[in-house]
Every structure is written in C-alpha cells, then in structure tokens.
DNA sequence: AAAGGACACAACCGCGGACTG
DNA sequence: TCAGTCCGCGGTTGTGTCCTT
C-alpha cells in the first residue's frame, strides 16, 4: 500500500528551529502534554510537521536531557552496549538516562568510531583489525557483557569495588599490559614518532568515597576535584537522592575520611558553599514536594555549579515561555506562581517531566538564562 | 587575514512495526 | 484479515564552527 506522507509538506518550514518555535513547542507541550504529534504543530501554531516537532522535543527540548559530551563511563557503556546490540541506538540510549539515541549515534560516528579505529578495533565487530597492530587490546569479561554484569550484580555499576580498580589502575601505570580485573582497559602505543604516548583507559568511575560528601540519608554531593569531570559523575539513581528535610537546613552530614569538609562547615549553611566557592543558592528542602531536586550542572570549564530547585526550574520555564527578552532576572513571585499553576494543572505527561528533572542530577535545560 | 578543509551536531528522510477500526 | 495511520528508529544530509595552511 502506498504510504501517506507524515504531513502536508506544502508551506511547512524546514531546517533549524528558532527560539520562538522552541518556545511555542515547549509552551504547548508543557501545557497540554504530549498527544498526537500530528496535531501538535497546528495546535501549537507551528509551521512544522509533527515528526519534526517530535524530534525537536525528544532530541533537544526535553527537560530531562543531559547535555554535554559523553563521559568516559558513558562511552564505555556505549561501546559495551554497541558490542551487544549493534546500531540499536534507541536501546543503547535507554541505558543512558538523559541521553538520546541521536546524540549517542552522533557521538559514536564522530568520536568513538574513530577512537576505536585508532586503537585498532573494528567498530563494527569490536574485534582487533589486525593481529599485528601495535595496539594492545585487553577486554575483560568478553563472555560477560555489560548488561549481564548489571543483571547479575543487580547493582548500579558504580557500586563495584573501586578499591580494587584503583589498585589495578596503579598497576597499569607501570605495566600497560596488565589485566584490569574490574574494568575494560584499552591501551594504545604511540603510532607517531614525537607524539606523546596515548593511553586510553576506560574504566568504571572512581570511588565515590573520596572527595565526596555523603550527607545523612545518602545524599551525595560531588566535589569536582577528584580527577573526573562532571560528565564523569556516576549516575545517581533517584532512590539514592535522599535528603533529610528538616525545617530549615540539612540536619547534619557525615563526611568521608578523606573529605576536607566537615559537617559543621555545612551546617553553617552557605559557609559550606563559600568553601566550595560556589554561587549562592539555597537548599531546597520542602516536605511538601514529592522529592528534592538535585540538579547539578557543573560546567567543567568554568567550574560553575548550579543546583536547581522547583522555583529555579519553574522560573526558567517562565522566562523561556513568557519573556522573550529575558535578562536573567526571573525571580518575581507572581510570575513564578503563574508558572507553578502551569505545573500544577499540567496533565500527566508534563508531571512526568517534572519528576524527571528531580530524578537526574545531570539534567540541564538547553537554554542559558544568564 | 582569508580560504579551504575537517569536524560536530541538529535535523531530515524514509522504512518498518504497532495499533486501530 | 487488511487498509490506514501514527510513531519510532537508523541512516543520511545540511550547516555552523573550528582548525589548519
């Protein structure tokens, strides 16, 4: 049978989306939720086809998307998953919260593929291209792929024994042919004279316990000076983000032995933050909310950290939707409450996204409101 | 400083599966 | 069972930006 075009293409706009179009789409979807994509552009007042709207939303505008380059850990996951699933990008993406299939596909084609080839690995078969290639490839647990490891351990990957990994990591420094018992290690030798030896180590994230503040009831604040960037921060599952919600402030925190922070420094409210040289913010700690928003967006280059709470997110949406010439001052209470109504009255699909913002610490909105 | 190439990523295209009447 | 419709997926293209010469 003949296939109907997804939309009447006459008069429809193509190409890059404008900020105005984004606002219309976001506003519509946040107010009405996701319904029939074919009807979305007409209802939202967009000269786009429904498919284009869906792609724009799922790949770029969704508030639960994680932006930025994939971390080494995510890359490792992608490689592992690709070895098992092939080019099923959506399946792969389903294992990486906040990442889209399109993003992973692009990253694979532009980064990982080349990296693997450079290391003498066939990106399709995941096997060495040649036995004579000067690159040493050592892949642990060939018969126990990543997914199986996850299932067997029934644990988040970050829960593996990192002490062992660190030992192995140290071992690697002296012997690149060593076999890491808990991570995938791919070491390459320099292929070009005069170039610094290239060594790529793909491994599980480093121990959380070091340089990490563990608050009461397991809330974790990552300190960004322990050798891995924000994008490498292990995924924190929603159930792991638990904060004691006393009236005004977090009651107390316990710190790891290696942490330079004390509970008292945190208890003095923003002193703790000043110690970190972070922008001022207040901890959102409201028992009326369904959960605490822990939305850390740490710009690795600028060392900026933003923590979103409900109002932040709502105000940002408000700025996005209602104020074309936003100057970053989006703190008016009446506008905030208006937007809160949008949240409160929103149908379930939107509530879903609201929840997702709470769920993932790496979430970031694709707009810069500064 | 300018031109051209390389790169990265957003967006599009078209196919196929799922669903519905 | 089948035609019609919608949505999701994977491959591909277009375009802006960065880098090199």
């Amino acid at each position: 049978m003949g296939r109907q075009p997804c939309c009447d293409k006459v008069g429809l706009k193509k190409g890059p989306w404008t900020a105005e179009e984004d606002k219309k789409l976001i506003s519509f979807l946040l107010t009405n939720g996701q319904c029939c994509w074919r009807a979305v552009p007409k209802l939202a007042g967009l000269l786009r086809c429904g498919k284009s709207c869906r792609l724009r939303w799922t790949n770029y505008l969704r508030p639960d998307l994680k932006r930025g380059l994939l971390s080494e850990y995510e890359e490792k996951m992608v490689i592992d998953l690709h070895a098992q699933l092939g080019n099923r990008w959506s399946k792969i993406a389903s294992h990486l919260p906040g990442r889209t299939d399109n993003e992973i596909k692009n990253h694979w084609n532009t980064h990982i593929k080349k990296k693997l080839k450079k290391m003498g690995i066939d990106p399709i078969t995941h096997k060495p291209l040649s036995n004579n290639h000067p690159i040493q490839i050592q892949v642990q647990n060939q018969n126990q792929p990543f997914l199986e490891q996850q299932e067997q351990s029934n644990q988040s990957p970050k829960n593996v024994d990192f002490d062992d990994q660190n030992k192995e990591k140290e071992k690697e420094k002296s012997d690149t042919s060593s076999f890491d018992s808990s991570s995938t290690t791919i070491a390459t030798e320099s292929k070009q004279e005069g170039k610094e030896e290239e060594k790529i180590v793909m491994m599980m994230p480093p121990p959380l316990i070091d340089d990490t503040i563990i608050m009461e009831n397991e809330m974790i604040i990552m300190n960004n000076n322990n050798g891995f960037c924000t994008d490498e921060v292990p995924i924190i599952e929603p159930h792991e983000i638990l904060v004691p919600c006393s009236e005004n402030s977090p009651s107390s925190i316990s710190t790891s032995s290696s942490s330079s922070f004390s509970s008292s420094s945190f208890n003095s409210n923003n002193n703790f933050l000043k110690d970190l040289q972070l922008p001022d913010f207040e901890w959102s700690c409201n028992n009326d909310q369904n959960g605490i928003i822990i939305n850390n967006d740490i710009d690795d280059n600028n060392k900026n950290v933003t923590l979103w709470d409900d109002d932040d997110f709502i105000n940002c949406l408000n700025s996005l939707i209602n104020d074309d010439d936003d100057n970053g001052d989006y703190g008016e209470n009446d506008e905030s409450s208006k937007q809160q109504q949008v949240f409160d009255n929103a149908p379930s699909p939107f509530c879903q996204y609201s929840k997702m913002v709470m769920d993932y610490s790496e979430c970031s909105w694709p707009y810069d409101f500064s």
Side-chain angles (χ1 to χ4, degrees):
Chain A
M1 60 182 174
R3 181 178 171 78
Q4 296 273 336
C6 70
C7 52
D8 179 9
K9 294 181 179 177
V10 178
L12 291 186
K13 193 177 174 216
K14 287 169 65 174
W17 281 64
T18 64
E20 189 63 31
E21 288 176 310
D22 283 345
K23 287 175 186 177
K24 283 183 179 178
L25 182 59
I26 291 170
S27 178
F28 175 80
L29 289 171
L30 294 189
T31 307
N32 300 285
Q34 289 180 48
C35 54
C36 173
W37 282 111
R38 200 172 193 180
V40 165
K42 187 175 285 184
L43 296 172
L46 291 164
L47 291 174
R48 296 272 183 175
C49 72
K51 183 184 270 189
S52 182
C53 293
R54 179 175 55 82
L55 284 173
R56 183 64 179 171
W57 176 255
T58 55
N59 288 335
Y60 198 79
L61 298 177
R62 269 165 46 200
D64 60 317
L65 287 182
K66 191 200 293 187
R67 312 296 301 179
L69 287 173
L70 270 71
S71 66
E72 283 187 20
Y73 173 61
E74 287 175 314
E75 272 195 9
K76 182 209 177 309
M77 278 188 74
V78 170
I79 293 168
D80 274 340
L81 291 164
H82 185 272
Q84 300 163 58
L85 302 170
N87 292 355
R88 291 182 223 172
W89 304 114
S90 62
K91 296 283 183 190
I92 294 172
S94 68
H95 291 274
L96 295 163
R99 300 293 186 184
T100 68
D101 55 349
N102 205 35
E103 187 179 14
I104 291 170
K105 179 175 58 183
N106 282 333
H107 191 79
W108 176 269
N109 288 328
T110 57
H111 293 94
I112 301 176
K113 217 171 174 179
K114 291 173 188 172
K115 196 180 278 185
L116 290 176
K117 281 180 179 175
K118 199 175 177 182
M119 293 186 296
I121 300 172
D122 187 340
I124 299 171
T125 64
H126 292 260
K127 291 176 180 176
L129 287 167
S130 157
N131 290 336
N132 296 327
H133 199 281
I135 293 170
Q136 298 172 359
I137 304 156
Q138 294 169 350
V139 180
Q140 182 255 339
N141 289 338
Q142 287 281 18
N143 297 324
Q144 192 183 26
F146 182 82
L147 283 177
E148 291 177 20
Q149 292 178 43
Q150 273 195 311
E151 287 168 5
Q152 286 182 13
S153 63
N154 197 25
Q155 287 179 332
S156 174
K158 67 182 175 57
N159 291 333
V160 298
D161 188 342
F162 291 109
D163 287 334
D164 287 345
Q165 286 187 22
N166 278 352
K167 289 173 190 171
E168 291 296 332
K169 196 178 176 183
E170 287 299 315
K171 208 174 165 185
E172 283 172 26
K173 292 178 181 174
S174 58
D175 180 8
T176 57
S177 65
S178 66
F179 197 89
D180 190 330
S181 64
S182 59
S183 66
T184 301
T185 301
I186 299 175
T188 67
E189 294 178 359
S190 175
K191 286 187 284 186
Q192 297 177 15
E193 288 183 6
K195 278 200 171 182
E196 192 177 339
E197 180 182 89
E198 179 181 358
K199 181 183 176 185
I200 299 170
V201 177
M202 296 186 294
M203 57 184 298
M204 296 300 183
L208 285 174
I209 195 71
D210 287 333
D211 296 314
T212 302
I213 294 173
I214 301 177
M215 295 176 60
E216 189 176 68
N217 293 342
E218 300 179 344
M219 177 186 169
I220 298 169
I221 302 171
M222 303 306 300
N223 180 13
N224 195 30
N225 63 359
N226 59 353
F228 60 94
C229 67
T230 311
D231 278 335
E232 292 164 340
V233 171
I235 297 163
I236 301 174
E237 300 296 335
H239 69 273
E240 296 176 286
I241 305 174
L242 299 170
V243 176
C245 289
S246 60
E247 185 64 24
N248 294 320
S249 65
S251 58
S252 65
I253 57 172
S254 61
T255 60
S256 69
S257 57
S258 61
S259 171
S260 60
F261 302 98
S262 65
S263 59
S264 60
S265 69
F266 186 84
N267 277 334
S268 59
N269 206 357
N270 286 340
N271 286 342
F272 159 73
L273 301 169
K274 288 172 185 171
D275 288 341
L276 282 174
Q277 296 183 321
L278 301 179
D280 288 340
F281 71 95
E282 292 181 359
W283 290 94
S284 173
C285 195
N286 185 341
N287 284 329
D288 292 338
Q289 295 169 359
N290 290 331
I292 193 84
I293 291 182
I294 308 293
N295 191 345
N296 299 351
D297 188 0
I298 304 174
D299 183 327
D300 197 41
N301 294 323
N302 300 325
K303 305 297 182 210
N304 289 331
V305 179
T306 57
L307 300 173
W308 292 49
D309 60 15
D310 257 344
D311 289 339
D312 288 335
F313 183 62
I314 291 164
N315 287 332
C316 286
L317 284 173
N318 176 56
S319 302
L320 180 67
I321 294 167
N322 296 329
D323 187 359
D324 287 350
D325 300 320
D326 178 63
N327 59 2
D329 182 13
Y330 43 83
E332 295 199 11
N333 290 334
D334 54 340
E335 290 299 319
S336 176
S337 61
K338 275 187 209 168
Q339 192 62 52
Q340 181 65 57
Q341 285 180 351
V342 173
F343 272 76
D344 294 342
N345 297 331
S348 56
F350 171 68
C351 298
Q352 173 192 355
Y353 290 112
S354 175
K355 181 66 169 67
M356 279 192 277
V357 170
M358 300 178 191
D359 283 350
Y360 301 118
S361 60
E362 293 88 350
C363 291
S364 63
W365 195 258
Y367 290 93
D368 181 9
F369 292 94
S370 59

